[in-house]
Amino acid sequence: GQNIDQPTEMTATEGAIVQINCTYQTSGFNGLFWYQQHAGEAPTFLSYNVLDGLEEKGRFSSFLSRSKGYSYLLLKELQMKDSASYLCAVEDNAGKSTFGDGTTLTVKP
Amino acid sequence: SQTIHQWPATLVQPVGSPLSLECTVEGTSNPNLYWYRQAAGRGLQLLFYSVGIGQISSEVPQNLSASRPQDRQFILSSKKLLLSDSGFYLCAWSADRGSEKLFFGSGTQLSVL
């Protein structure tokens, strides 16, 4: 099975940088996804990591260490619209994704 | 471009009543289809997934069922709803079961009273 841990809540200031961590224990690993979900809406895809290292995409970057079972999502130049829940999801060898409970990020002016 | 439609957006049902949520995908063929449920403040729990017409895999034993009568149609049903069935239901599709991101429908907020 999969066990995924993320902090429940985080707060950061507009313009700052925030790092959201995700640790996982899995019986099989095929890749790790990050999704963004605004309140009452559906999640939308942010990033996907399958190899160790950093994937950068604009203001968002995602890092993966498979040996440590660890990933983080880095958000730079925070904007108010970045206030949302961020979901870490681990894909197993069968192609099924298991989601963490999400981290609710609040960006303050 | 591909689109996914899910309805209704909100639903209030009494305990013991039936349920039918429908999801359709446009602009792609043979998508992999999924039903997730999200409790308040929690992550997504995979309920069912399908890799083809009539092929349904259940992840969590419960009083819900799913069907895929057509390639791009996925239906979530129940004969008798329980209070614990309340939640935010999301349909999703992916191009392939492996290493492909999920595209989600807009969700259905179900309240069982």
PDB file of all heavy atoms in Angstrom, chain B residues 72-87:
ATOM      1  N   ARG B  72     -16.724   6.669 -23.765  1.00  0.00           N
ATOM      2  CA  ARG B  72     -16.417   7.925 -23.096  1.00  0.00           C
ATOM      3  C   ARG B  72     -17.474   8.316 -22.066  1.00  0.00           C
ATOM      4  O   ARG B  72     -17.631   9.487 -21.758  1.00  0.00           O
ATOM      5  CB  ARG B  72     -16.247   9.026 -24.156  1.00  0.00           C
ATOM      6  CG  ARG B  72     -14.992   8.853 -25.000  1.00  0.00           C
ATOM      7  CD  ARG B  72     -14.973   9.772 -26.203  1.00  0.00           C
ATOM      8  NE  ARG B  72     -15.918   9.345 -27.229  1.00  0.00           N
ATOM      9  CZ  ARG B  72     -16.110   9.998 -28.366  1.00  0.00           C
ATOM     10  NH1 ARG B  72     -15.483  11.127 -28.601  1.00  0.00           N
ATOM     11  NH2 ARG B  72     -16.968   9.552 -29.253  1.00  0.00           N
ATOM     12  N   GLN B  73     -18.148   7.314 -21.524  1.00  0.00           N
ATOM     13  CA  GLN B  73     -19.178   7.567 -20.533  1.00  0.00           C
ATOM     14  C   GLN B  73     -18.925   6.707 -19.306  1.00  0.00           C
ATOM     15  O   GLN B  73     -18.720   5.494 -19.411  1.00  0.00           O
ATOM     16  CB  GLN B  73     -20.559   7.256 -21.120  1.00  0.00           C
ATOM     17  CG  GLN B  73     -21.709   7.550 -20.177  1.00  0.00           C
ATOM     18  CD  GLN B  73     -23.051   7.116 -20.763  1.00  0.00           C
ATOM     19  OE1 GLN B  73     -23.121   6.194 -21.574  1.00  0.00           O
ATOM     20  NE2 GLN B  73     -24.115   7.786 -20.347  1.00  0.00           N
ATOM     21  N   PHE B  74     -18.958   7.343 -18.147  1.00  0.00           N
ATOM     22  CA  PHE B  74     -18.686   6.642 -16.895  1.00  0.00           C
ATOM     23  C   PHE B  74     -19.759   7.048 -15.896  1.00  0.00           C
ATOM     24  O   PHE B  74     -20.007   8.236 -15.706  1.00  0.00           O
ATOM     25  CB  PHE B  74     -17.297   7.020 -16.382  1.00  0.00           C
ATOM     26  CG  PHE B  74     -16.630   5.996 -15.519  1.00  0.00           C
ATOM     27  CD1 PHE B  74     -16.958   4.645 -15.592  1.00  0.00           C
ATOM     28  CD2 PHE B  74     -15.618   6.359 -14.632  1.00  0.00           C
ATOM     29  CE1 PHE B  74     -16.316   3.699 -14.816  1.00  0.00           C
ATOM     30  CE2 PHE B  74     -14.966   5.418 -13.845  1.00  0.00           C
ATOM     31  CZ  PHE B  74     -15.322   4.096 -13.943  1.00  0.00           C
ATOM     32  N   ILE B  75     -20.406   6.070 -15.279  1.00  0.00           N
ATOM     33  CA  ILE B  75     -21.540   6.344 -14.409  1.00  0.00           C
ATOM     34  C   ILE B  75     -21.279   5.764 -13.023  1.00  0.00           C
ATOM     35  O   ILE B  75     -20.833   4.620 -12.894  1.00  0.00           O
ATOM     36  CB  ILE B  75     -22.839   5.748 -14.991  1.00  0.00           C
ATOM     37  CG1 ILE B  75     -23.135   6.389 -16.346  1.00  0.00           C
ATOM     38  CG2 ILE B  75     -24.009   5.972 -14.038  1.00  0.00           C
ATOM     39  CD1 ILE B  75     -24.274   5.740 -17.097  1.00  0.00           C
ATOM     40  N   LEU B  76     -21.546   6.560 -12.009  1.00  0.00           N
ATOM     41  CA  LEU B  76     -21.431   6.108 -10.619  1.00  0.00           C
ATOM     42  C   LEU B  76     -22.835   5.969 -10.051  1.00  0.00           C
ATOM     43  O   LEU B  76     -23.640   6.894 -10.180  1.00  0.00           O
ATOM     44  CB  LEU B  76     -20.627   7.111  -9.796  1.00  0.00           C
ATOM     45  CG  LEU B  76     -20.379   6.756  -8.337  1.00  0.00           C
ATOM     46  CD1 LEU B  76     -19.418   5.577  -8.227  1.00  0.00           C
ATOM     47  CD2 LEU B  76     -19.819   7.958  -7.573  1.00  0.00           C
ATOM     48  N   SER B  77     -23.122   4.826  -9.428  1.00  0.00           N
ATOM     49  CA  SER B  77     -24.489   4.567  -8.974  1.00  0.00           C
ATOM     50  C   SER B  77     -24.513   3.993  -7.567  1.00  0.00           C
ATOM     51  O   SER B  77     -23.513   3.461  -7.081  1.00  0.00           O
ATOM     52  CB  SER B  77     -25.169   3.562  -9.914  1.00  0.00           C
ATOM     53  OG  SER B  77     -25.170   3.999 -11.246  1.00  0.00           O
ATOM     54  N   SER B  78     -25.687   4.127  -6.974  1.00  0.00           N
ATOM     55  CA  SER B  78     -25.963   3.450  -5.722  1.00  0.00           C
ATOM     56  C   SER B  78     -27.450   3.130  -5.672  1.00  0.00           C
ATOM     57  O   SER B  78     -28.270   3.927  -6.127  1.00  0.00           O
ATOM     58  CB  SER B  78     -25.580   4.325  -4.523  1.00  0.00           C
ATOM     59  OG  SER B  78     -25.985   3.698  -3.317  1.00  0.00           O
ATOM     60  N   LYS B  79     -27.791   1.997  -5.089  1.00  0.00           N
ATOM     61  CA  LYS B  79     -29.205   1.645  -4.960  1.00  0.00           C
ATOM     62  C   LYS B  79     -29.804   2.293  -3.715  1.00  0.00           C
ATOM     63  O   LYS B  79     -30.966   2.690  -3.702  1.00  0.00           O
ATOM     64  CB  LYS B  79     -29.356   0.132  -4.892  1.00  0.00           C
ATOM     65  CG  LYS B  79     -29.003  -0.584  -6.189  1.00  0.00           C
ATOM     66  CD  LYS B  79     -29.214  -2.081  -6.067  1.00  0.00           C
ATOM     67  CE  LYS B  79     -28.867  -2.775  -7.386  1.00  0.00           C
ATOM     68  NZ  LYS B  79     -29.032  -4.258  -7.292  1.00  0.00           N
ATOM     69  N   LYS B  80     -28.973   2.396  -2.658  1.00  0.00           N
ATOM     70  CA  LYS B  80     -29.449   2.996  -1.403  1.00  0.00           C
ATOM     71  C   LYS B  80     -28.320   3.780  -0.765  1.00  0.00           C
ATOM     72  O   LYS B  80     -27.351   3.190  -0.255  1.00  0.00           O
ATOM     73  CB  LYS B  80     -29.936   1.916  -0.433  1.00  0.00           C
ATOM     74  CG  LYS B  80     -31.246   1.253  -0.823  1.00  0.00           C
ATOM     75  CD  LYS B  80     -31.695   0.298   0.275  1.00  0.00           C
ATOM     76  CE  LYS B  80     -33.045  -0.330  -0.076  1.00  0.00           C
ATOM     77  NZ  LYS B  80     -33.527  -1.240   0.998  1.00  0.00           N
ATOM     78  N   LEU B  81     -28.435   5.087  -0.731  1.00  0.00           N
ATOM     79  CA  LEU B  81     -27.391   5.936  -0.178  1.00  0.00           C
ATOM     80  C   LEU B  81     -27.331   5.856   1.341  1.00  0.00           C
ATOM     81  O   LEU B  81     -28.352   5.730   2.025  1.00  0.00           O
ATOM     82  CB  LEU B  81     -27.612   7.386  -0.597  1.00  0.00           C
ATOM     83  CG  LEU B  81     -27.236   7.730  -2.043  1.00  0.00           C
ATOM     84  CD1 LEU B  81     -27.757   9.108  -2.398  1.00  0.00           C
ATOM     85  CD2 LEU B  81     -25.736   7.648  -2.235  1.00  0.00           C
ATOM     86  N   LEU B  82     -26.111   5.966   1.857  1.00  0.00           N
ATOM     87  CA  LEU B  82     -25.866   6.042   3.291  1.00  0.00           C
ATOM     88  C   LEU B  82     -25.382   7.451   3.638  1.00  0.00           C
ATOM     89  O   LEU B  82     -24.887   8.181   2.772  1.00  0.00           O
ATOM     90  CB  LEU B  82     -24.785   5.031   3.710  1.00  0.00           C
ATOM     91  CG  LEU B  82     -25.014   3.578   3.303  1.00  0.00           C
ATOM     92  CD1 LEU B  82     -23.777   2.756   3.648  1.00  0.00           C
ATOM     93  CD2 LEU B  82     -26.245   3.024   3.994  1.00  0.00           C
ATOM     94  N   LEU B  83     -25.495   7.819   4.905  1.00  0.00           N
ATOM     95  CA  LEU B  83     -24.989   9.126   5.333  1.00  0.00           C
ATOM     96  C   LEU B  83     -23.504   9.274   4.991  1.00  0.00           C
ATOM     97  O   LEU B  83     -23.046  10.352   4.596  1.00  0.00           O
ATOM     98  CB  LEU B  83     -25.192   9.303   6.842  1.00  0.00           C
ATOM     99  CG  LEU B  83     -26.615   9.547   7.326  1.00  0.00           C
ATOM    100  CD1 LEU B  83     -26.644   9.559   8.858  1.00  0.00           C
ATOM    101  CD2 LEU B  83     -27.163  10.867   6.783  1.00  0.00           C
ATOM    102  N   SER B  84     -22.770   8.183   5.138  1.00  0.00           N
ATOM    103  CA  SER B  84     -21.324   8.212   4.905  1.00  0.00           C
ATOM    104  C   SER B  84     -20.963   8.389   3.433  1.00  0.00           C
ATOM    105  O   SER B  84     -19.785   8.557   3.104  1.00  0.00           O
ATOM    106  CB  SER B  84     -20.691   6.921   5.436  1.00  0.00           C
ATOM    107  OG  SER B  84     -21.285   5.783   4.823  1.00  0.00           O
ATOM    108  N   ASP B  85     -21.940   8.353   2.543  1.00  0.00           N
ATOM    109  CA  ASP B  85     -21.669   8.564   1.124  1.00  0.00           C
ATOM    110  C   ASP B  85     -21.528  10.049   0.772  1.00  0.00           C
ATOM    111  O   ASP B  85     -21.142  10.389  -0.345  1.00  0.00           O
ATOM    112  CB  ASP B  85     -22.772   7.942   0.266  1.00  0.00           C
ATOM    113  CG  ASP B  85     -22.767   6.426   0.314  1.00  0.00           C
ATOM    114  OD1 ASP B  85     -21.660   5.843   0.398  1.00  0.00           O
ATOM    115  OD2 ASP B  85     -23.863   5.820   0.289  1.00  0.00           O
ATOM    116  N   SER B  86     -21.827  10.916   1.717  1.00  0.00           N
ATOM    117  CA  SER B  86     -21.671  12.353   1.462  1.00  0.00           C
ATOM    118  C   SER B  86     -20.224  12.679   1.137  1.00  0.00           C
ATOM    119  O   SER B  86     -19.303  12.115   1.731  1.00  0.00           O
ATOM    120  CB  SER B  86     -22.116  13.155   2.679  1.00  0.00           C
ATOM    121  OG  SER B  86     -23.503  13.000   2.904  1.00  0.00           O
ATOM    122  N   GLY B  87     -20.038  13.606   0.199  1.00  0.00           N
ATOM    123  CA  GLY B  87     -18.676  13.995  -0.160  1.00  0.00           C
ATOM    124  C   GLY B  87     -18.646  14.662  -1.517  1.00  0.00           C
ATOM    125  O   GLY B  87     -19.674  14.892  -2.147  1.00  0.00           O
TER     126      GLY B  87
END
